[in-house]
Amino acid sequence: MEVVNGFPEGFLWGAATSAYQCEGAALEDGKKENQQDVINRQIHDERGYADASVTADFYHHYKEDVALMAEMGFKSFRLSINWSRVLPDGVGEPNPKGVQFYHDLFAELHAHGIEPIVTMWHYDLPMALVEKYGGWRSRQMVDDFEYYARFLAKEYGSEVRYWLTINEQSIVVNYIDKKNLISKEDFYNPRYRYQANHYMNLAHAKAAIAIHELVPNALVGAALDCAPYYPASSAPQDVLASRHANEFKNYFYMDAYIKGTYTPSVLAYLERQGLMFDVEPGDLELIKRGSECFDFLGVNYYQSGCVKAPTPGKSRHPKENNKTGKGGHVEYEVQPDLFEGTKNEYLVDTDFSMPIDPSGLQFILEEINDRYGIPVMICENGLGAYDTLEKDGSIHDPYRIEYIRQHIKAMKAAIANGVQLWGYNPWSAMDLLSTSNGIAKRYGFIYVDRTDDDVRECRRYRKDSFYWYKNVIATNGKNLE
Ligand code: BGP
Protein backbone atom coordinates (compact mmCIF):
# COMPACT_ATOMS: atom_id res chain seq x y z
CA MET A 1 0.00 0.00 0.00
CA GLU A 2 1.35 3.41 -0.95
CA VAL A 3 1.73 5.82 1.97
CA VAL A 4 0.39 9.30 1.20
CA ASN A 5 0.93 12.12 3.74
CA GLY A 6 1.88 9.54 6.37
CA PHE A 7 -1.27 7.45 5.88
CA PRO A 8 -1.80 4.61 3.41
CA GLU A 9 -3.87 5.21 0.31
CA GLY A 10 -7.43 4.01 0.95
CA PHE A 11 -7.03 4.56 4.70
CA LEU A 12 -10.40 4.08 6.40
CA TRP A 13 -11.18 7.38 8.09
CA GLY A 14 -14.50 7.20 9.90
CA ALA A 15 -15.96 6.83 13.38
CA ALA A 16 -17.53 4.21 15.62
CA THR A 17 -20.74 3.50 17.51
CA SER A 18 -22.52 0.53 19.03
CA ALA A 19 -26.16 -0.43 18.57
CA TYR A 20 -27.57 -0.10 22.08
CA GLN A 21 -25.65 3.12 22.67
CA CYS A 22 -27.06 4.98 19.67
CA GLU A 23 -30.12 3.29 18.16
CA GLY A 24 -32.88 3.68 20.75
CA ALA A 25 -36.17 2.13 19.53
CA ALA A 26 -35.54 -0.43 22.23
CA LEU A 27 -38.91 -2.14 21.88
CA GLU A 28 -39.90 -1.01 18.41
CA ASP A 29 -40.69 -3.00 15.26
CA GLY A 30 -40.42 -6.40 16.90
CA LYS A 31 -37.16 -5.94 18.80
CA LYS A 32 -37.06 -7.64 22.17
CA GLU A 33 -34.99 -6.63 25.18
CA ASN A 34 -31.28 -7.19 25.55
CA GLN A 35 -29.13 -7.00 28.67
CA GLN A 36 -28.23 -3.37 28.08
CA ASP A 37 -31.89 -2.37 28.04
CA VAL A 38 -32.18 -3.91 31.49
CA ILE A 39 -28.83 -2.75 32.86
CA ASN A 40 -29.33 0.84 31.73
CA ARG A 41 -32.77 0.93 33.31
CA GLN A 42 -31.06 -0.01 36.57
CA ILE A 43 -28.41 2.69 36.04
CA HIS A 44 -31.21 5.17 35.38
CA ASP A 45 -33.01 4.22 38.58
CA GLU A 46 -29.84 4.28 40.67
CA ARG A 47 -28.04 7.31 39.28
CA GLY A 48 -30.47 9.21 37.08
CA TYR A 49 -28.60 8.70 33.80
CA ALA A 50 -30.59 8.09 30.61
CA ASP A 51 -31.64 4.52 29.86
CA ALA A 52 -31.23 2.77 26.49
CA SER A 53 -34.76 3.36 25.22
CA VAL A 54 -34.00 6.40 23.00
CA THR A 55 -30.28 7.23 23.32
CA ALA A 56 -29.34 9.16 20.10
CA ASP A 57 -32.43 7.83 18.28
CA PHE A 58 -30.21 6.67 15.43
CA TYR A 59 -32.92 4.17 14.44
CA HIS A 60 -34.99 7.11 13.20
CA HIS A 61 -32.17 9.52 12.32
CA TYR A 62 -29.84 7.18 10.45
CA LYS A 63 -30.31 8.80 7.03
CA GLU A 64 -29.52 12.23 8.39
CA ASP A 65 -26.54 10.84 10.29
CA VAL A 66 -25.13 9.02 7.28
CA ALA A 67 -25.47 12.24 5.25
CA LEU A 68 -23.50 14.10 7.95
CA MET A 69 -20.85 11.37 7.96
CA ALA A 70 -20.62 11.69 4.18
CA GLU A 71 -20.27 15.46 4.55
CA MET A 72 -17.26 14.82 6.81
CA GLY A 73 -15.87 12.59 4.06
CA PHE A 74 -16.11 9.30 5.99
CA LYS A 75 -14.71 6.26 4.24
CA SER A 76 -15.93 3.88 6.96
CA PHE A 77 -18.42 3.62 9.79
CA ARG A 78 -18.15 1.13 12.63
CA LEU A 79 -21.49 -0.01 13.99
CA SER A 80 -22.85 -3.08 15.72
CA ILE A 81 -25.89 -5.21 15.07
CA ASN A 82 -28.44 -5.24 17.85
CA TRP A 83 -28.74 -9.01 18.19
CA SER A 84 -32.24 -8.96 19.70
CA ARG A 85 -33.43 -6.67 16.89
CA VAL A 86 -32.66 -9.25 14.20
CA LEU A 87 -33.19 -12.40 16.29
CA PRO A 88 -35.44 -11.35 19.17
CA ASP A 89 -35.00 -14.67 20.98
CA GLY A 90 -31.29 -14.92 20.26
CA VAL A 91 -31.78 -17.88 17.93
CA GLY A 92 -34.70 -19.04 15.79
CA GLU A 93 -37.28 -16.84 14.11
CA PRO A 94 -35.81 -13.61 12.64
CA ASN A 95 -37.60 -10.27 12.98
CA PRO A 96 -38.22 -9.03 9.39
CA LYS A 97 -38.37 -5.32 10.27
CA GLY A 98 -35.22 -5.49 12.36
CA VAL A 99 -33.40 -7.39 9.63
CA GLN A 100 -34.54 -4.84 7.06
CA PHE A 101 -33.25 -1.93 9.17
CA TYR A 102 -29.65 -3.07 8.68
CA HIS A 103 -30.18 -3.73 4.94
CA ASP A 104 -31.42 -0.15 4.65
CA LEU A 105 -28.56 1.19 6.73
CA PHE A 106 -25.92 -0.65 4.69
CA ALA A 107 -27.56 0.54 1.45
CA GLU A 108 -27.47 4.12 2.74
CA LEU A 109 -23.80 3.80 3.67
CA HIS A 110 -22.82 2.26 0.33
CA ALA A 111 -24.77 4.95 -1.54
CA HIS A 112 -22.46 7.47 0.16
CA GLY A 113 -19.29 5.44 -0.44
CA ILE A 114 -18.93 4.51 3.24
CA GLU A 115 -17.65 1.04 4.16
CA PRO A 116 -19.50 -0.57 7.09
CA ILE A 117 -17.34 -2.21 9.76
CA VAL A 118 -19.71 -4.45 11.66
CA THR A 119 -19.42 -5.74 15.22
CA MET A 120 -21.61 -8.76 15.85
CA TRP A 121 -21.85 -8.35 19.60
CA HIS A 122 -21.17 -5.17 21.57
CA TYR A 123 -22.31 -5.95 25.15
CA ASP A 124 -26.02 -6.32 24.30
CA LEU A 125 -26.89 -9.98 24.70
CA PRO A 126 -30.55 -10.88 24.05
CA MET A 127 -32.35 -11.24 27.38
CA ALA A 128 -33.93 -14.40 25.98
CA LEU A 129 -30.54 -16.15 26.22
CA VAL A 130 -29.87 -14.73 29.67
CA GLU A 131 -33.23 -15.96 30.91
CA LYS A 132 -32.87 -19.35 29.20
CA TYR A 133 -29.45 -20.32 30.53
CA GLY A 134 -27.64 -17.31 32.03
CA GLY A 135 -25.84 -16.07 28.91
CA TRP A 136 -22.08 -16.65 29.01
CA ARG A 137 -22.52 -18.72 32.15
CA SER A 138 -23.39 -21.57 29.79
CA ARG A 139 -21.40 -23.34 27.09
CA GLN A 140 -24.58 -23.23 24.99
CA MET A 141 -23.55 -19.65 24.11
CA VAL A 142 -20.82 -21.03 21.85
CA ASP A 143 -23.32 -22.70 19.53
CA ASP A 144 -25.84 -19.89 19.75
CA PHE A 145 -23.17 -17.35 18.85
CA GLU A 146 -22.23 -19.45 15.84
CA TYR A 147 -25.91 -19.62 14.85
CA TYR A 148 -26.08 -15.82 15.03
CA ALA A 149 -22.82 -15.40 13.07
CA ARG A 150 -24.05 -17.73 10.32
CA PHE A 151 -27.33 -15.86 10.18
CA LEU A 152 -25.50 -12.53 9.78
CA ALA A 153 -23.11 -13.91 7.17
CA LYS A 154 -25.95 -15.25 5.02
CA GLU A 155 -28.12 -12.17 5.42
CA TYR A 156 -25.51 -9.41 5.08
CA GLY A 157 -22.45 -11.13 3.60
CA SER A 158 -22.82 -9.40 0.24
CA GLU A 159 -23.09 -5.97 1.95
CA VAL A 160 -20.36 -6.20 4.58
CA ARG A 161 -16.69 -7.00 4.17
CA TYR A 162 -15.22 -6.04 7.58
CA TRP A 163 -16.47 -8.11 10.53
CA LEU A 164 -15.63 -7.89 14.21
CA THR A 165 -16.97 -10.76 16.29
CA ILE A 166 -16.83 -9.47 19.88
CA ASN A 167 -16.26 -6.02 21.32
CA GLU A 168 -13.75 -5.75 24.19
CA GLN A 169 -13.78 -9.29 25.48
CA SER A 170 -11.31 -8.38 28.22
CA ILE A 171 -13.65 -5.66 29.50
CA VAL A 172 -16.58 -8.07 29.47
CA VAL A 173 -14.50 -10.53 31.49
CA ASN A 174 -13.59 -7.88 34.05
CA TYR A 175 -17.05 -6.40 34.37
CA ILE A 176 -19.03 -9.47 33.48
CA ASP A 177 -21.44 -8.99 36.37
CA LYS A 178 -22.43 -5.53 35.20
CA LYS A 179 -22.12 -5.66 31.45
CA ASN A 180 -23.11 -9.15 30.78
CA LEU A 181 -24.80 -11.10 33.46
CA ILE A 182 -27.26 -9.94 36.00
CA SER A 183 -26.49 -12.28 38.81
CA LYS A 184 -25.26 -11.42 42.27
CA GLU A 185 -24.07 -14.98 42.64
CA ASP A 186 -21.51 -14.57 39.84
CA PHE A 187 -20.44 -11.12 40.97
CA TYR A 188 -18.48 -12.79 43.73
CA ASN A 189 -17.18 -15.61 41.62
CA PRO A 190 -14.07 -14.54 39.69
CA ARG A 191 -13.49 -18.09 38.46
CA TYR A 192 -16.64 -17.78 36.42
CA ARG A 193 -15.07 -14.91 34.45
CA TYR A 194 -12.34 -17.07 32.95
CA GLN A 195 -14.73 -19.88 32.13
CA ALA A 196 -16.89 -17.35 30.27
CA ASN A 197 -13.75 -16.01 28.59
CA HIS A 198 -12.98 -19.51 27.34
CA TYR A 199 -16.50 -19.82 25.93
CA MET A 200 -16.08 -16.46 24.23
CA ASN A 201 -12.84 -17.64 22.62
CA LEU A 202 -14.65 -20.71 21.32
CA ALA A 203 -17.62 -18.65 20.14
CA HIS A 204 -15.31 -16.14 18.44
CA ALA A 205 -13.42 -18.98 16.70
CA LYS A 206 -16.61 -20.56 15.39
CA ALA A 207 -17.89 -17.21 14.16
CA ALA A 208 -14.60 -16.33 12.43
CA ILE A 209 -14.53 -19.72 10.69
CA ALA A 210 -18.19 -19.34 9.64
CA ILE A 211 -17.68 -15.87 8.18
CA HIS A 212 -14.68 -17.04 6.15
CA GLU A 213 -16.64 -20.02 4.93
CA LEU A 214 -19.73 -18.04 3.90
CA VAL A 215 -18.44 -14.61 2.84
CA PRO A 216 -15.87 -14.48 0.05
CA ASN A 217 -13.22 -11.79 0.65
CA ALA A 218 -14.42 -11.15 4.20
CA LEU A 219 -11.94 -9.73 6.67
CA VAL A 220 -12.49 -10.88 10.23
CA GLY A 221 -11.22 -9.54 13.52
CA ALA A 222 -12.33 -8.62 17.01
CA ALA A 223 -12.02 -5.33 18.88
CA LEU A 224 -10.03 -5.29 22.11
CA ASP A 225 -9.50 -2.63 24.70
CA CYS A 226 -5.75 -2.11 24.35
CA ALA A 227 -3.86 -0.15 27.00
CA PRO A 228 -0.15 -0.42 27.75
CA TYR A 229 0.50 -0.86 31.48
CA TYR A 230 3.52 1.17 32.55
CA PRO A 231 5.52 0.52 35.72
CA ALA A 232 4.99 3.18 38.41
CA SER A 233 8.78 3.29 38.96
CA SER A 234 11.95 1.58 37.82
CA ALA A 235 11.93 -0.61 40.95
CA PRO A 236 12.27 -4.15 39.55
CA GLN A 237 9.08 -5.27 41.38
CA ASP A 238 7.09 -2.54 39.65
CA VAL A 239 8.60 -3.38 36.27
CA LEU A 240 7.69 -7.04 36.80
CA ALA A 241 4.15 -6.02 37.82
CA SER A 242 3.89 -4.03 34.58
CA ARG A 243 4.97 -7.06 32.55
CA HIS A 244 2.39 -9.18 34.34
CA ALA A 245 -0.34 -6.60 33.83
CA ASN A 246 0.38 -6.46 30.10
CA GLU A 247 0.23 -10.26 29.85
CA PHE A 248 -2.92 -10.46 31.95
CA LYS A 249 -4.84 -7.54 30.45
CA ASN A 250 -3.67 -7.53 26.82
CA TYR A 251 -1.76 -10.53 25.54
CA PHE A 252 -3.91 -13.21 27.17
CA TYR A 253 -6.71 -12.07 24.82
CA MET A 254 -4.56 -11.26 21.79
CA ASP A 255 -2.65 -14.55 22.00
CA ALA A 256 -5.93 -16.50 21.90
CA TYR A 257 -7.30 -14.58 18.90
CA ILE A 258 -4.11 -14.17 16.90
CA LYS A 259 -1.89 -17.13 17.81
CA GLY A 260 -4.64 -19.49 18.97
CA THR A 261 -2.86 -20.17 22.27
CA TYR A 262 -3.25 -19.30 25.93
CA THR A 263 -0.43 -17.22 27.47
CA PRO A 264 1.55 -19.61 29.76
CA SER A 265 2.27 -17.14 32.58
CA VAL A 266 -1.42 -16.16 32.79
CA LEU A 267 -2.54 -19.80 32.87
CA ALA A 268 -0.07 -20.46 35.67
CA TYR A 269 -1.40 -17.47 37.61
CA LEU A 270 -5.05 -18.55 37.16
CA GLU A 271 -4.11 -22.04 38.32
CA ARG A 272 -2.34 -20.69 41.44
CA GLN A 273 -5.29 -18.47 42.27
CA GLY A 274 -7.89 -21.24 41.84
CA LEU A 275 -9.38 -19.44 38.82
CA MET A 276 -8.53 -21.98 36.13
CA PHE A 277 -11.30 -22.83 33.67
CA ASP A 278 -12.37 -26.19 32.29
CA VAL A 279 -11.23 -27.13 28.81
CA GLU A 280 -12.94 -29.93 26.88
CA PRO A 281 -11.30 -32.11 24.23
CA GLY A 282 -11.12 -30.28 20.90
CA ASP A 283 -11.39 -26.78 22.45
CA LEU A 284 -7.76 -25.79 21.95
CA GLU A 285 -7.81 -27.08 18.38
CA LEU A 286 -10.89 -24.95 17.69
CA ILE A 287 -9.22 -21.83 19.12
CA LYS A 288 -6.20 -22.56 16.91
CA ARG A 289 -8.37 -22.93 13.80
CA GLY A 290 -10.13 -19.67 14.69
CA SER A 291 -6.78 -17.88 14.81
CA GLU A 292 -6.13 -18.94 11.21
CA CYS A 293 -9.21 -16.91 10.23
CA PHE A 294 -8.11 -13.79 12.11
CA ASP A 295 -7.27 -11.03 9.62
CA PHE A 296 -6.93 -7.86 11.69
CA LEU A 297 -7.13 -6.63 15.25
CA GLY A 298 -9.53 -3.84 16.17
CA VAL A 299 -7.73 -1.58 18.65
CA ASN A 300 -9.84 0.42 21.09
CA TYR A 301 -7.54 2.88 22.80
CA TYR A 302 -8.50 5.61 25.26
CA GLN A 303 -5.80 5.62 27.91
CA SER A 304 -2.76 3.87 29.29
CA GLY A 305 -2.55 2.18 32.68
CA CYS A 306 0.05 2.36 35.42
CA VAL A 307 0.80 -0.39 37.93
CA LYS A 308 3.03 -1.22 40.87
CA ALA A 309 3.89 -4.34 42.81
CA PRO A 310 0.75 -5.58 44.58
CA THR A 311 0.27 -4.75 48.26
CA PRO A 312 0.20 -8.08 50.15
CA GLY A 313 -3.22 -8.92 51.57
CA LYS A 314 -5.25 -6.66 49.25
CA SER A 315 -8.18 -8.47 47.73
CA ARG A 316 -9.08 -8.71 44.06
CA HIS A 317 -11.27 -6.05 42.49
CA PRO A 318 -11.71 -4.50 39.06
CA LYS A 319 -11.05 -0.86 38.26
CA GLU A 320 -14.11 1.26 39.00
CA ASN A 321 -14.82 3.98 36.46
CA ASN A 322 -15.37 7.52 37.64
CA LYS A 323 -19.13 7.84 37.96
CA THR A 324 -19.37 11.52 38.89
CA GLY A 325 -17.70 13.23 35.92
CA LYS A 326 -16.01 15.61 38.35
CA GLY A 327 -12.48 14.22 38.07
CA GLY A 328 -10.61 12.82 41.04
CA HIS A 329 -11.34 9.50 42.60
CA VAL A 330 -10.92 6.22 40.73
CA GLU A 331 -10.71 2.82 42.35
CA TYR A 332 -7.76 1.02 40.79
CA GLU A 333 -7.68 -2.64 39.83
CA VAL A 334 -6.01 -5.14 42.14
CA GLN A 335 -4.97 -8.62 41.06
CA PRO A 336 -3.47 -10.24 44.18
CA ASP A 337 0.10 -11.38 43.80
CA LEU A 338 0.27 -9.91 40.29
CA PHE A 339 -0.17 -6.13 40.08
CA GLU A 340 -2.01 -3.16 41.53
CA GLY A 341 -3.17 -0.14 39.52
CA THR A 342 -2.06 3.35 40.51
CA LYS A 343 -2.10 6.91 39.22
CA ASN A 344 0.42 7.94 36.59
CA GLU A 345 1.77 11.23 37.91
CA TYR A 346 3.05 12.24 34.47
CA LEU A 347 -0.37 12.32 32.81
CA VAL A 348 -3.33 14.68 33.00
CA ASP A 349 -6.76 13.08 33.47
CA THR A 350 -10.06 13.96 31.81
CA ASP A 351 -13.07 14.98 33.93
CA PHE A 352 -13.91 11.30 33.90
CA SER A 353 -10.50 10.35 35.29
CA MET A 354 -9.06 8.87 32.12
CA PRO A 355 -5.36 9.75 31.69
CA ILE A 356 -4.66 11.33 28.30
CA ASP A 357 -1.66 9.62 26.70
CA PRO A 358 -1.17 9.72 22.91
CA SER A 359 2.28 8.07 23.26
CA GLY A 360 0.51 5.05 24.75
CA LEU A 361 -1.25 4.53 21.43
CA GLN A 362 2.06 4.47 19.55
CA PHE A 363 3.43 2.14 22.23
CA ILE A 364 0.65 -0.41 21.96
CA LEU A 365 0.46 -0.29 18.15
CA GLU A 366 4.18 -1.00 17.87
CA GLU A 367 3.95 -3.74 20.51
CA ILE A 368 1.17 -5.46 18.58
CA ASN A 369 3.00 -5.18 15.29
CA ASP A 370 6.34 -6.42 16.62
CA ARG A 371 4.70 -9.25 18.56
CA TYR A 372 2.15 -10.46 15.99
CA GLY A 373 2.88 -8.70 12.67
CA ILE A 374 -0.84 -8.34 12.03
CA PRO A 375 -2.76 -5.41 10.47
CA VAL A 376 -4.71 -3.26 12.91
CA MET A 377 -7.59 -0.84 12.71
CA ILE A 378 -8.36 1.74 15.38
CA CYS A 379 -11.97 0.92 16.22
CA GLU A 380 -12.33 3.34 19.14
CA ASN A 381 -10.43 6.32 20.52
CA GLY A 382 -11.81 9.59 21.77
CA LEU A 383 -12.49 12.09 24.50
CA GLY A 384 -15.62 11.97 26.63
CA ALA A 385 -16.39 15.52 27.78
CA TYR A 386 -19.15 17.99 28.58
CA ASP A 387 -20.04 20.09 25.53
CA THR A 388 -22.12 23.26 25.35
CA LEU A 389 -24.60 23.99 22.61
CA GLU A 390 -24.38 27.75 22.01
CA LYS A 391 -27.38 29.88 21.08
CA ASP A 392 -26.25 30.05 17.45
CA GLY A 393 -26.09 26.25 17.19
CA SER A 394 -22.30 26.01 17.38
CA ILE A 395 -20.36 23.73 19.74
CA HIS A 396 -16.78 24.67 20.54
CA ASP A 397 -14.81 21.56 21.49
CA PRO A 398 -11.09 22.43 21.13
CA TYR A 399 -10.26 19.83 23.83
CA ARG A 400 -11.61 17.04 21.57
CA ILE A 401 -9.75 18.36 18.53
CA GLU A 402 -6.53 18.47 20.52
CA TYR A 403 -7.03 14.93 21.85
CA ILE A 404 -7.67 13.50 18.40
CA ARG A 405 -4.89 15.54 16.78
CA GLN A 406 -2.31 14.14 19.20
CA HIS A 407 -3.54 10.58 18.70
CA ILE A 408 -3.39 10.93 14.91
CA LYS A 409 0.21 12.13 15.28
CA ALA A 410 0.92 9.02 17.36
CA MET A 411 -0.61 6.86 14.59
CA LYS A 412 1.64 8.54 12.02
CA ALA A 413 4.71 7.80 14.13
CA ALA A 414 3.62 4.18 14.53
CA ILE A 415 3.13 3.80 10.77
CA ALA A 416 6.61 5.22 10.23
CA ASN A 417 7.85 2.41 12.51
CA GLY A 418 6.22 -0.28 10.39
CA VAL A 419 2.72 -0.62 11.88
CA GLN A 420 0.15 -1.79 9.32
CA LEU A 421 -2.74 0.50 10.17
CA TRP A 422 -5.88 0.16 8.07
CA GLY A 423 -8.10 2.83 9.52
CA TYR A 424 -9.13 5.24 12.24
CA ASN A 425 -12.65 5.01 13.64
CA PRO A 426 -12.76 7.16 16.76
CA TRP A 427 -15.56 7.02 19.30
CA SER A 428 -17.99 8.31 18.29
CA ALA A 429 -19.74 9.54 15.16
CA MET A 430 -22.51 11.25 17.12
CA ASP A 431 -23.11 11.76 20.85
CA LEU A 432 -24.56 8.62 22.37
CA LEU A 433 -25.11 6.79 25.63
CA SER A 434 -21.95 6.22 27.66
CA THR A 435 -21.45 2.86 29.34
CA SER A 436 -21.32 4.47 32.76
CA ASN A 437 -21.91 8.22 32.49
CA GLY A 438 -25.18 8.66 30.62
CA ILE A 439 -25.65 11.18 27.82
CA ALA A 440 -23.83 14.08 29.48
CA LYS A 441 -20.45 12.52 28.69
CA ARG A 442 -20.21 13.29 24.98
CA TYR A 443 -17.82 11.87 22.41
CA GLY A 444 -19.35 12.74 19.02
CA PHE A 445 -18.39 14.94 16.09
CA ILE A 446 -22.15 15.41 15.73
CA TYR A 447 -23.94 16.92 18.71
CA VAL A 448 -27.27 15.33 19.65
CA ASP A 449 -29.57 17.76 21.42
CA ARG A 450 -30.95 15.88 24.38
CA THR A 451 -30.09 15.49 28.04
CA ASP A 452 -30.29 12.60 30.47
CA ASP A 453 -33.69 13.82 31.66
CA ASP A 454 -35.20 15.18 28.48
CA VAL A 455 -34.99 13.42 25.10
CA ARG A 456 -36.24 16.50 23.18
CA GLU A 457 -36.08 15.92 19.41
CA CYS A 458 -32.48 14.73 19.31
CA ARG A 459 -31.68 17.40 16.74
CA ARG A 460 -28.23 17.17 15.20
CA TYR A 461 -25.62 19.96 15.18
CA ARG A 462 -22.08 20.09 13.81
CA LYS A 463 -19.36 20.58 16.44
CA ASP A 464 -16.12 22.45 15.67
CA SER A 465 -14.45 19.02 15.65
CA PHE A 466 -16.80 18.04 12.78
CA TYR A 467 -15.27 20.69 10.50
CA TRP A 468 -11.76 19.99 11.72
CA TYR A 469 -12.05 16.22 11.13
CA LYS A 470 -13.52 16.85 7.68
CA ASN A 471 -10.34 18.71 6.75
CA VAL A 472 -8.15 15.97 8.23
CA ILE A 473 -9.91 13.39 6.07
CA ALA A 474 -9.80 15.59 2.96
CA THR A 475 -6.00 15.84 3.29
CA ASN A 476 -5.58 12.15 4.27
CA GLY A 477 -4.25 13.18 7.66
CA LYS A 478 -1.78 15.79 6.38
CA ASN A 479 -3.50 18.87 7.71
CA LEU A 480 -4.03 18.50 11.44
CA GLU A 481 -4.26 22.23 12.20
C1 BGP B 1 -15.50 1.32 25.27
C2 BGP B 1 -16.74 0.68 24.75
C3 BGP B 1 -17.72 1.62 24.14
C4 BGP B 1 -17.73 3.02 24.70
C5 BGP B 1 -16.39 3.52 25.15
C6 BGP B 1 -16.42 4.77 25.99
O1 BGP B 1 -14.97 0.53 26.28
O2 BGP B 1 -16.45 -0.29 23.77
O3 BGP B 1 -18.96 0.96 24.12
O4 BGP B 1 -18.75 3.26 25.57
O5 BGP B 1 -15.67 2.55 25.86
O6 BGP B 1 -16.64 4.47 27.34
P1 BGP B 1 -17.69 5.21 28.22
O7 BGP B 1 -18.98 5.14 27.49
O8 BGP B 1 -17.74 4.51 29.52
O9 BGP B 1 -17.19 6.59 28.33
Side-chain angles (χ1 to χ4, degrees):
M1 241 190 280
E2 202 195 334
V3 175
V4 185
N5 296 335
F7 288 93
E9 214 180 323
F11 191 75
L12 293 173
W13 296 100
T17 56
S18 91
Y20 88 88
Q21 292 175 281
C22 75
E23 284 177 3
L27 288 177
E28 212 169 304
D29 288 344
K31 176 183 165 296
K32 286 194 184 168
E33 286 208 313
N34 61 46
Q35 281 185 313
Q36 291 303 329
D37 295 323
V38 176
I39 290 169
N40 282 282
R41 235 182 356 255
Q42 287 169 356
I43 294 179
H44 169 78
D45 295 347
E46 283 161 23
R47 287 187 269 141
Y49 287 136
D51 63 18
S53 57
V54 177
T55 61
D57 202 21
F58 179 73
Y59 190 75
H60 299 109
H61 286 254
Y62 77 91
K63 286 194 178 168
E64 184 186 349
D65 285 336
V66 172
L68 286 165
M69 292 178 212
E71 190 183 321
M72 274 187 275
F74 276 22
K75 315 287 181 225
S76 57
F77 174 50
R78 178 186 177 218
L79 63 126
S80 74
I81 306 258
N82 208 321
W83 187 340
S84 63
R85 193 180 295 290
V86 294
L87 297 174
D89 295 313
V91 289
E93 209 47 43
N95 169 32
K97 284 191 178 164
V99 172
Q100 190 57 42
F101 170 70
Y102 295 103
H103 282 302
D104 294 345
L105 173 56
F106 295 144
E108 197 69 18
L109 289 167
H110 287 303
H112 287 84
I114 300 174
E115 189 75 45
I117 298 162
V118 174
T119 316
M120 296 180 186
W121 176 59
H122 195 123
Y123 303 156
D124 46 6
L125 210 56
M127 276 310 285
L129 301 182
V130 179
E131 281 155 8
K132 207 172 358 166
Y133 51 70
W136 291 105
R137 187 193 310 197
S138 165
R139 198 178 165 99
Q140 181 59 38
M141 270 303 300
V142 178
D143 288 343
D144 287 355
F145 195 81
E146 184 187 14
Y147 180 100
Y148 173 52
R150 286 186 177 272
F151 172 81
L152 294 182
K154 285 183 199 144
E155 192 66 43
Y156 302 116
S158 61
E159 296 152 51
V160 177
R161 181 158 191 232
Y162 295 88
W163 293 92
L164 296 158
T165 55
I166 296 179
N167 181 66
E168 294 190 349
Q169 186 170 320
S170 57
I171 298 283
V172 178
V173 169
N174 270 287
Y175 299 97
I176 198 142
D177 32 75
K178 292 190 194 141
K179 282 204 167 55
N180 215 21
L181 196 97
I182 307 149
S183 152
K184 284 270 181 297
E185 173 197 329
D186 291 320
F187 188 95
Y188 298 104
N189 181 0
R191 183 189 179 280
Y192 166 76
R193 296 166 200 271
Y194 298 97
Q195 190 64 56
N197 178 61
H198 182 59
Y199 294 155
M200 283 183 233
N201 283 331
L202 298 174
H204 156 83
K206 283 198 165 194
I209 293 166
I211 295 283
H212 269 276
E213 183 191 311
L214 296 169
V215 184
N217 301 321
L219 294 164
V220 181
L224 278 178
D225 170 65
C226 300
Y229 289 85
Y230 304 141
S233 78
S234 53
Q237 298 87 335
D238 289 348
V239 178
L240 194 58
S242 122
R243 186 188 127 70
H244 287 156
N246 281 302
E247 298 288 348
F248 190 75
K249 304 279 293 176
N250 292 320
Y251 303 130
F252 183 52
Y253 301 93
M254 293 182 201
D255 283 353
Y257 285 156
I258 306 170
K259 297 202 304 191
T261 56
Y262 279 123
T263 318
S265 63
V266 177
L267 287 187
Y269 175 74
L270 295 179
E271 194 73 67
R272 273 201 305 279
Q273 295 279 316
L275 303 176
M276 190 55 194
F277 47 92
D278 298 328
V279 176
E280 290 187 9
D283 283 0
L284 298 180
E285 292 73 12
L286 176 58
I287 291 174
K288 191 81 193 166
R289 279 199 292 130
S291 71
E292 286 153 17
C293 297
F294 199 84
D295 302 303
F296 69 103
L297 180 69
V299 169
N300 294 1
Y301 177 81
Y302 291 88
Q303 57 188 319
S304 55
C306 183
V307 296
K308 58 184 181 182
T311 310
K314 267 205 183 168
S315 52
R316 179 184 324 281
H317 64 80
K319 184 177 172 203
E320 280 294 334
N321 285 339
N322 178 313
K323 300 207 175 61
T324 63
K326 291 187 189 127
H329 185 73
V330 204
E331 227 183 294
Y332 290 103
E333 176 168 357
V334 176
Q335 293 296 337
D337 222 12
L338 202 64
F339 66 87
E340 181 177 334
T342 186
K343 178 160 174 51
N344 188 333
E345 301 296 341
Y346 294 91
L347 298 177
V348 173
D349 291 357
T350 69
D351 286 340
F352 297 88
S353 305
M354 292 162 113
I356 300 175
D357 179 20
S359 300
L361 177 59
Q362 183 182 348
F363 187 112
I364 196 73
L365 289 176
E366 293 181 12
E367 276 282 300
I368 293 167
N369 193 48
D370 289 348
R371 195 172 161 127
Y372 303 108
I374 193 170
V376 289
M377 169 129 62
I378 309 285
C379 285
E380 287 183 36
N381 169 240
L383 179 72
Y386 299 108
D387 292 334
T388 307
L389 175 63
E390 306 291 348
K391 284 207 176 67
D392 63 359
S394 60
I395 299 99
H396 305 303
D397 57 345
Y399 34 87
R400 183 166 295 108
I401 293 172
E402 187 54 20
Y403 179 100
I404 294 179
R405 185 191 349 255
Q406 295 307 333
H407 285 79
I408 294 177
K409 284 185 182 167
M411 283 157 36
K412 260 191 199 178
I415 291 173
N417 282 345
V419 169
Q420 308 158 67
L421 187 59
W422 282 358
Y424 182 58
N425 291 280
W427 191 264
S428 52
M430 78 293 291
D431 294 337
L432 37 67
L433 183 68
S434 154
T435 61
S436 48
N437 303 96
I439 290 283
K441 182 188 199 177
R442 294 173 183 272
Y443 282 93
F445 295 108
I446 301 165
Y447 185 92
V448 176
D449 185 23
R450 63 156 295 178
T451 66
D452 280 300
D453 306 320
D454 184 357
V455 297
R456 299 180 189 161
E457 289 168 27
C458 290
R459 274 191 64 181
R460 275 41 179 171
Y461 294 88
R462 296 163 182 80
K463 299 185 190 178
D464 286 356
S465 56
F466 178 106
Y467 300 105
W468 174 82
Y469 192 40
K470 178 180 175 172
N471 196 32
V472 170
I473 297 175
T475 60
N476 200 28
K478 187 171 186 191
N479 189 350
L480 299 179
E481 298 315 315

